[in-house]
Amino acid sequence: MIKTIIVEDEKHNQELLERLLQQHFPEIQVLQKAKNVSEGLNAIENIEPALVFLDVEMPDGNAFDLLAQIEQIDFEIIFVTAYDHYALQAIRFCAIDYLLKPIKVPELLDAVEKVMDNLSLKWENQRLKQLIQNLDKKSDDMRLALPTADKTIFIPIREIIRCQGENNYTSFYLTSGNRLLVSKTLKEFEEILQDYDFARVHQSHLVNLKMIESYHKTEGGYLIMQDGSRISISRHRKDKVLHLLMEL
């Protein structure tokens, strides 16, 4: 999903734009609508959007007043304006495009498609950059790209305590106490992490062997992890798990 904010002072324009996006781009999720510079700035800081539709003229200032208060503009911008003389200034702010009011559907489709191409390229470059960095790192320093619903998060492998499969999703439990839900199967991550001291100990569980606090023989065998979680060991996997533990 592409997290999106609409900053527009006229309610009917907000609703029209949101409706057109829902009709043509279901992957775009409008998380908040703001009617002025102050609300827009708060929304951007709190939501960290990938895309902002930004009206130029607002009651308490203009779009450029808003952007001047943001230290790093790391989102895509589509300006919406009734005045085409703002185009040059929009380009200086690296806007992907600008739309003239009243919004015409073909122009909206063209602008949003440019944004999506830009975002795909940006995310792919980020993944490639991480891959190159990983080539020069020791295994403990390597980072794993985890695509969540709205962004890709790069997590050092050493911070992963365990992974739990839930149908076509995998939950990552981290040393920070956070949990990340990723739309990939546990088997995919087993293949990625098996060379970095991770072991599949159960149909639903992949654990970081370095994060095991203790192994218990009772009740069929189970592990206590550093986060206090208790993970059962499948009967047919027990011998392999014990062998791996002995090699640590």
Side-chain angles (χ1 to χ4, degrees):
M1 301 296 288
I2 299 172
K3 292 195 299 183
T4 301
I5 292 170
I6 296 173
V7 184
E8 159 67 58
D9 65 323
E10 297 182 8
K11 186 174 179 61
H12 69 278
N13 283 337
Q14 289 181 353
E15 294 174 347
L16 172 62
L17 181 53
E18 183 175 24
R19 186 165 63 251
L20 290 173
L21 292 172
Q22 289 173 344
Q23 289 174 357
H24 297 282
F25 297 98
E27 63 270 54
I28 288 181
Q29 185 177 17
V30 177
L31 295 180
Q32 191 166 336
K33 299 187 288 291
K35 63 179 182 293
N36 54 42
V37 170
S38 177
E39 288 184 5
L41 185 62
N42 287 335
I44 289 168
E45 290 176 345
N46 292 333
I47 292 174
E48 298 180 354
L51 171 62
V52 175
F53 285 88
L54 192 53
D55 190 12
V56 173
E57 291 288 353
M58 288 174 279
D60 59 342
N62 62 41
F64 310 110
D65 297 329
L66 185 156
L67 293 173
Q69 299 179 63
I70 299 174
E71 186 173 339
Q72 182 177 358
I73 299 173
D74 55 2
F75 48 86
E76 303 296 333
I77 304 168
I78 295 178
F79 283 115
V80 182
T81 176
Y83 310 99
D84 60 2
H85 63 265
Y86 283 113
L88 180 60
Q89 197 169 358
I91 290 169
R92 289 175 181 159
F93 274 91
C94 301
I96 196 75
D97 213 334
Y98 72 100
L99 301 173
L100 288 174
K101 298 178 184 178
I103 293 174
K104 298 178 177 62
V105 172
E107 294 176 0
L108 173 65
L109 299 183
D110 183 59
V112 174
E113 284 168 1
K114 289 179 187 175
V115 163
M116 296 178 74
D117 288 343
N118 233 35
L119 288 173
S120 294
L121 181 61
K122 183 186 295 184
W123 291 334
E124 182 61 27
N125 285 342
Q126 190 177 23
R127 285 192 288 269
L128 289 173
K129 181 179 178 181
Q130 189 60 55
L131 174 62
I132 292 168
Q133 289 175 348
N134 278 342
L135 293 175
D136 295 327
K137 290 182 178 179
K138 298 177 181 178
S139 61
D140 283 350
D141 295 324
M142 291 185 68
R143 296 156 71 91
L144 182 64
L146 300 180
T148 63
D150 54 7
K151 59 186 173 182
T152 298
I153 302 174
F154 295 91
I155 298 295
I157 289 176
R158 65 176 181 274
E159 294 181 9
I160 302 169
I161 296 175
R162 61 187 180 93
C163 311
Q164 183 170 337
E166 304 168 21
N167 297 319
N168 291 324
Y169 293 85
T170 300
S171 290
F172 280 74
Y173 294 85
L174 309 177
T175 54
S176 63
N178 292 332
R179 170 182 171 267
L180 297 177
L181 183 64
V182 180
S183 57
K184 287 187 177 182
T185 65
L186 188 64
K187 181 173 178 56
E188 292 179 75
F189 290 112
E190 178 186 9
E191 293 171 355
I192 294 171
L193 294 170
Q194 61 185 354
D195 293 330
Y196 301 98
D197 293 322
F198 280 75
R200 186 83 170 261
V201 300
H202 186 277
Q203 181 179 354
S204 301
H205 297 287
L206 177 70
V207 303
N208 184 342
L209 296 172
K210 294 180 180 179
M211 293 287 179
I212 296 173
E213 286 282 0
S214 59
Y215 161 68
H216 297 256
K217 299 178 182 179
T218 58
E219 301 179 37
Y222 62 90
L223 304 170
I224 299 296
M225 306 302 294
Q226 284 191 12
D227 62 351
S229 57
R230 170 175 165 161
I231 308 297
S232 297
I233 303 174
S234 297
R235 182 166 47 187
H236 72 280
R237 300 178 192 266
K238 185 180 296 185
D239 289 344
K240 181 179 179 180
V241 172
L242 291 177
H243 177 71
L244 289 172
L245 289 175
M246 293 297 292
E247 290 185 337
L248 285 178

